[in-house]
Amino acid sequence: MLSEYLLAEMSRLGARDALPLHRQLYEALRRAMLDGKLGAGERLPSSRDLAQDLKLSRNTVVAAINQLSVEGYLASRVGSGTYVNDSVPRTTPGRGARQAGGQPATVQAGRLSARGKALSASFCATELEVQPFTPGIADFSAFPLTLWQRLQNKHWRLTYPDMLDYNDSGGYAPLRRAVADYLRVFRSVQLDADQVVITTGTQQSLELCARLLADHGDTVWVEDPAYWGAVKAFMATGLSLHPVPVDEEGINPRSADNAKPPRLVYVTPSHQYPTGAVMSLPRRHQLLATARAHDAWVLEDDYDSEYRFSGPPISCLEGLDTDGRVLYMGTFSKVLYPGLKIGYLVVPRPLVAAFKQAHYDLNRPGQMPVQAALAEFIEMGHFASALRRARLNYGERRQCLLEALRPVLRDTQEGPYISGAEQGLHLCLRLPQSVDDRALAQRIATQHGLTVRPLSAYCLARKDLRGLVIGYGYAPLAEIKRCGPLVAAAVRQALGGAAA
Amino acid sequence: MLSEYLLAEMSRLGARDALPLHRQLYEALRRAMLDGKLGAGERLPSSRDLAQDLKLSRNTVVAAINQLSVEGYLASRVGSGTYVNDSVPRTTPGRGARQAGGQPATVQAGRLSARGKALSASFCATELEVQPFTPGIADFSAFPLTLWQRLQNKHWRLTYPDMLDYNDSGGYAPLRRAVADYLRVFRSVQLDADQVVITTGTQQSLELCARLLADHGDTVWVEDPAYWGAVKAFMATGLSLHPVPVDEEGINPRSADNAKPPRLVYVTPSHQYPTGAVMSLPRRHQLLATARAHDAWVLEDDYDSEYRFSGPPISCLEGLDTDGRVLYMGTFSKVLYPGLKIGYLVVPRPLVAAFKQAHYDLNRPGQMPVQAALAEFIEMGHFASALRRARLNYGERRQCLLEALRPVLRDTQEGPYISGAEQGLHLCLRLPQSVDDRALAQRIATQHGLTVRPLSAYCLARKDLRGLVIGYGYAPLAEIKRCGPLVAAAVRQALGGAAA
């Protein structure tokens, strides 16, 4: 009866997983013990008998029994054979349920911690479907893949010894130099290469800042409406979020906000996400003065700074900082290729050593061959020319989307008007408060299969904003020409309904 | 005088950064305003005059002025020229100091948060120098680089559309299947591919677990001595660490430990880090029962499970778990190539959706081409054969190191004896309590340039352990032959000193 059970189990296992025979037998015997077919203290048939019954070689049987003995399931008594160990547990009722693919009976399903529940709650920004107007997605079809592969192959070969050298955890030195040169020239960031820490992107940069510069329960000022990725990073690091409203000049702290003094202030001055507001110079100075008054750190996410369509690029907040309280961050994922997973964080000199140490310990940075390939890619000028090409390309798409939306724009304070089209890869079509933007976005998704985002879904405390966040980075021109008018028509319909 | 200042600044900038002329002028003008050479409200010379004075084309001057106007530094008044905006701040004293490369005067240097100070403190395990005996480093010289490059190139071409599809944030589906097949067959983990979450490695896996399953201030039981990477991950996520001693059968909770009921229990049962103890079967059952009694989650770091030298591999804790409270994790960094940065986490079914969602939001997983290449690498059987080759290779090195150390071993409880040599890529030479293992490790580093780790440096609460943690994964056989006796001699000398 035991041998029948074992044969049945083995054939089931063999069919499913193509296990070697000794491993099939091992699993079958283990199961027999857990299921109680072989009870504690029971004597196992001799290896010779088992081999005969199961039509296996004796070596196979011995291999299985040896492993079970090593693991403590079986115990040998000299001269009297092999016994099931007393400590082998019987299967609890939960086990059967689990094997049948159901939920274990003895554990409460999905027993998350309180923060776990908050962190795994789904927000609008994560229902990411790649469609013509999905915000936050760029077009990577022009990425010079062959060149990239050549560089990457070369550095996979070359960097072997460096790769093992985790010591300098700011990242691959030539990449840090290349990033520093780029930021100094194009973004007026004032820095040495040593201040650059290579990360896997903005999420990692934000968490590092939150952990090293703020304690659990400290207040962080965030823009309202906000970039959800940042909100989650601050939630995950135990900070207390204080939303500060954004207007057309960027974040605009009210005097009441000073009652919640910040330890950190997080801003997206180049192209506020999602309204697209560019922070004005007076506002920049005001923000730095406020941060100074509170002795707070400023986290500058220079998101989308690469694509400015009207006028020359605007210098970063870091460049105006007179006392080293701005931490500046960016990413290559939107500019080159999302699979790269490389971003950078510029930290004030007094913090460099602490950031490098903690980054190594917490994040075990790596990917040296990719970092090396990217360094050479930038040094050879390919990054600059990719940017130039992309700017022309996205500029056309932006123009095309603007034209499609023009018919619905009205010359009122309330909207519809467009914000944030000077820069970046998305714009925001602002709507009157009477429009239900969530319902409108839902209707556009259902009727046309297009993903646009309701502006109100990004709001934290405020209730006054309505609009659609529309990306133009991903879709080819022809798609924008085809789909733009569909969105415009849906908006017109919603406006009619709202007016009625 | 202004033009002289500008020319001097421009030549300085041009020499350093090879900026285009209009950008040099832009920076020079900006600096002039910040330094007060151009005061608020002051009128700028006309673009024609500036061009003449500076010997620049008028277009260059206009480009610089335009950018400064866009950024709000300058304001044009119709018919009366361009003025410095009132809101441009003067440079504070701190600025000068900063430009000179010193610390800003107005910010307290290195003002980290309390947790930031703890997280950036340096521990023994991070002074990583790659030398023959550095623990935790494997030998990747046998990695089939050409094959890998072929696969990676192929998937960089192929996966372009998938790469944009971040929806299924558990990772690249074929890789999750390949990992599930591997774990089912070789590690007796019971799972479906859907339970696999691809991470960047154990640090990320641990943080995800800590955040989703525990709240700030919750207790986590950790082994004492402990793997520092895990300790840092729990510190970073705000957990309260409770050290539980490890003996030769693994973690051994005392009844007093129950006074600090855990929400999480973190263990390395296959090869305890750093003692190398393999958790016995009775201890495994006991641990699961304890976890059940406290309704705690068990985090099983199946670190180094791939290399077992005596006897067949031991099944994992997850395979004994009857009610789905074990989360199982591993990494490919030690087996294939550290630059890969790919690990995996197996979560119980009721938690899958929450983990995938939070992983996407917090970590923005990516690297699809690398994940795809790895999936094919495993499916084609290259992973299994790389493991086989490596096991033979490391087995020889281990033997060689054991032989070099044999002369110093004594047959006493106190040591010197060796623990943890059955498995993994390091062993632990246990020493009598009278030996100062930190001083010994320091002496070995100074005299021979070899990095071995003092066991006491990994201890959290206990004071009774002394020893040396010695890796044999990295060095070729000849190096181990040469350096092993040097370590043995230093140990013998220390024992002599301790006995005297």
Side-chain angles (χ1 to χ4, degrees), chain A residues 219-463:
Chain A
T219 297
V220 55
W221 282 8
V222 291
E223 297 165 322
D224 190 4
Y227 168 54
W228 264 113
V231 169
K232 281 238 167 161
F234 297 132
M235 284 166 60
T237 47
L239 302 193
S240 168
L241 291 159
H242 178 72
V244 176
V246 164
D247 63 17
E248 59 286 348
E249 290 188 71
I251 195 169
N252 190 16
R254 304 146 298 186
S255 57
D257 292 316
N258 293 315
K260 293 277 271 180
R263 176 83 172 163
L264 303 178
V265 179
Y266 169 75
V267 284
T268 51
S270 287
H271 191 229
Q272 202 274 332
Y273 197 89
T275 67
V278 178
M279 198 183 294
S280 67
L281 186 68
R283 197 62 69 74
R284 285 172 196 238
H285 286 305
Q286 184 188 321
L287 177 65
L288 289 171
T290 306
R292 195 175 304 121
H294 290 294
D295 198 16
W297 298 101
V298 177
L299 310 186
E300 175 176 26
D301 182 355
D302 204 18
Y303 155 79
D304 262 1
S305 64
E306 298 86 358
Y307 303 117
R308 183 154 179 84
F309 302 110
S310 345
I314 288 192
S315 302
C316 64
L317 207 51
E318 198 278 345
L320 302 173
D321 177 25
T322 54
D323 49 12
R325 62 176 70 255
V326 174
L327 290 95
Y328 176 95
M329 62 195 76
T331 175
F332 289 103
S333 296
K334 289 240 169 40
V335 186
L336 286 176
Y337 210 61
L340 282 186
K341 298 301 296 168
I342 297 188
Y344 45 86
L345 171 66
V346 180
V347 301
R349 272 196 204 85
L351 299 177
V352 168
F355 269 70
K356 281 161 76 169
Q357 180 69 44
H359 186 42
Y360 173 76
D361 283 344
L362 297 173
N363 302 322
R364 293 278 189 273
Q367 299 189 66
M368 291 302 165
V370 183
Q371 293 192 23
L374 180 56
E376 189 169 341
F377 188 85
I378 298 173
E379 283 160 13
M380 286 164 70
H382 298 299
F383 179 63
S385 53
L387 272 186
R388 264 197 307 277
R389 274 196 313 273
R391 209 175 280 136
L392 286 173
N393 185 3
Y394 293 135
E396 280 183 350
R397 297 176 186 194
R398 161 187 170 270
Q399 202 52 46
C400 178
L401 178 60
L402 284 174
E403 271 156 33
L405 296 177
R406 185 159 306 144
V408 300
L409 304 186
R410 287 182 207 155
D411 198 15
T412 66
Q413 271 292 80
E414 274 242 287
Y417 67 94
I418 281 171
S419 71
E422 303 80 20
Q423 183 143 344
L425 298 180
H426 73 83
L427 53 77
C428 190
L429 176 65
R430 310 293 282 270
L431 296 170
Q433 248 182 282
S434 53
V435 175
D436 180 346
D437 56 358
R438 287 173 196 253
L440 174 56
Q442 188 56 55
R443 206 153 48 237
I444 292 171
T446 317
Q447 287 179 3
H448 307 296
L450 295 170
T451 304
V452 297
R453 295 274 163 66
L455 177 57
S456 60
Y458 294 95
C459 291
L460 299 172
R462 62 202 291 186
K463 310 275 177 224

Side-chain angles (χ1 to χ4, degrees), chain A residues 137-186:
Chain A
I137 307 284
D139 175 11
F140 303 103
S141 57
F143 185 70
L145 206 51
T146 312
L147 167 70
W148 177 258
Q149 286 177 350
R150 195 162 52 70
L151 293 176
Q152 199 170 250
N153 288 346
K154 173 179 152 189
H155 289 285
W156 268 88
R157 269 190 302 274
L158 285 182
T159 57
Y160 170 65
D162 287 347
M163 177 132 15
L164 294 174
D165 184 3
Y166 291 97
N167 269 324
D168 192 353
S169 48
Y172 190 70
L175 178 60
R176 299 166 72 198
R177 279 197 296 276
V179 168
D181 289 343
Y182 167 70
L183 293 178
R184 210 181 291 120
V185 174
F186 287 92

Side-chain angles (χ1 to χ4, degrees), chain A residues 23 26 67 73 95 98 106 115 126 188 190 232 237 281 313 315 318 320 323 341 361 364, chain B residues 23 26 67 71 73 95 98 106 115 126 167 188 190 232 237 313 315 318 320 323 341 361 364:
Chain A
R23 195 75 200 178
Y26 159 87
Q67 175 153 358
Y73 285 95
R95 180 152 210 105
R98 187 171 174 212
T106 52
R115 74 173 164 196
T126 62
S188 300
Q190 312 171 68
K232 281 238 167 161
T237 47
L281 186 68
S315 302
E318 198 278 345
L320 302 173
D323 49 12
K341 298 301 296 168
D361 283 344
R364 293 278 189 273
Chain B
R23 195 76 200 176
Y26 158 87
Q67 175 153 359
E71 295 187 12
Y73 286 93
R95 179 153 212 105
R98 189 173 173 210
T106 53
R115 74 173 163 196
T126 61
N167 269 324
S188 300
Q190 313 171 68
K232 281 238 167 162
T237 47
S315 302
E318 198 279 345
L320 301 173
D323 49 12
K341 298 300 297 169
D361 282 344
R364 294 278 190 270

Side-chain angles (χ1 to χ4, degrees), chain B residues 200-432:
Chain B
T200 59
T202 301
Q203 289 300 111
Q204 196 173 70
S205 300
L206 285 173
E207 289 206 359
L208 207 50
C209 292
R211 286 169 160 183
L212 293 190
L213 303 177
D215 280 312
H216 192 264
D218 280 353
T219 296
V220 56
W221 282 7
V222 292
E223 298 165 321
D224 189 5
Y227 168 54
W228 264 113
V231 168
K232 281 238 167 162
F234 298 132
M235 283 166 59
T237 47
L239 302 194
S240 166
L241 291 159
H242 178 71
V244 176
V246 164
D247 63 18
E248 60 287 346
E249 291 188 71
I251 195 170
N252 190 16
R254 304 144 297 185
S255 56
D257 292 317
N258 293 314
K260 292 279 270 179
R263 177 82 171 164
L264 304 178
V265 180
Y266 169 74
V267 285
T268 50
S270 287
H271 192 228
Q272 202 274 333
Y273 197 89
T275 67
V278 178
M279 197 184 293
S280 67
L281 187 67
R283 197 61 70 75
R284 286 173 194 238
H285 287 305
Q286 184 188 322
L287 177 65
L288 289 172
T290 306
R292 195 176 303 121
H294 290 295
D295 198 16
W297 298 101
V298 177
L299 310 186
E300 176 176 26
D301 182 355
D302 204 17
Y303 155 80
D304 263 1
S305 65
E306 298 86 359
Y307 302 116
R308 182 153 180 82
F309 302 110
S310 343
I314 288 191
S315 302
C316 65
L317 206 51
E318 198 279 345
L320 301 173
D321 177 24
T322 54
D323 49 12
R325 63 175 69 253
V326 175
L327 290 94
Y328 175 96
M329 62 195 75
T331 175
F332 289 103
S333 296
K334 289 239 170 39
V335 187
L336 287 177
Y337 211 61
L340 282 185
K341 298 300 297 169
I342 297 188
Y344 45 85
L345 171 66
V346 180
V347 301
R349 271 197 204 83
L351 300 178
V352 168
F355 269 70
K356 281 161 76 169
Q357 180 70 45
H359 187 41
Y360 173 75
D361 282 344
L362 296 173
N363 301 322
R364 294 278 190 270
Q367 299 189 67
M368 291 303 165
V370 183
Q371 292 192 24
L374 180 56
E376 189 170 339
F377 188 85
I378 298 174
E379 283 160 13
M380 286 164 70
H382 298 298
F383 180 63
S385 53
L387 271 186
R388 263 196 309 277
R389 274 196 312 274
R391 208 175 280 137
L392 287 173
N393 185 4
Y394 294 135
E396 279 183 349
R397 297 176 185 194
R398 161 186 170 271
Q399 202 53 46
C400 179
L401 177 60
L402 284 174
E403 272 156 34
L405 297 177
R406 185 159 306 146
V408 300
L409 304 186
R410 287 182 206 154
D411 198 15
T412 66
Q413 271 292 81
E414 275 243 286
Y417 68 93
I418 280 170
S419 71
E422 303 81 19
Q423 183 145 344
L425 298 180
H426 73 85
L427 53 77
C428 191
L429 176 65
R430 310 292 282 269
L431 296 170

Side-chain angles (χ1 to χ4, degrees), chain B residues 166-173 176 193-194 196-199 355-357 359-360 365 368 371:
Chain B
Y166 292 96
N167 269 324
D168 192 352
S169 49
Y172 189 70
R176 298 166 74 198
D194 192 50
V196 176
V197 175
I198 302 297
T199 66
F355 269 70
K356 281 161 76 169
Q357 180 70 45
H359 187 41
Y360 173 75
M368 291 303 165
Q371 292 192 24

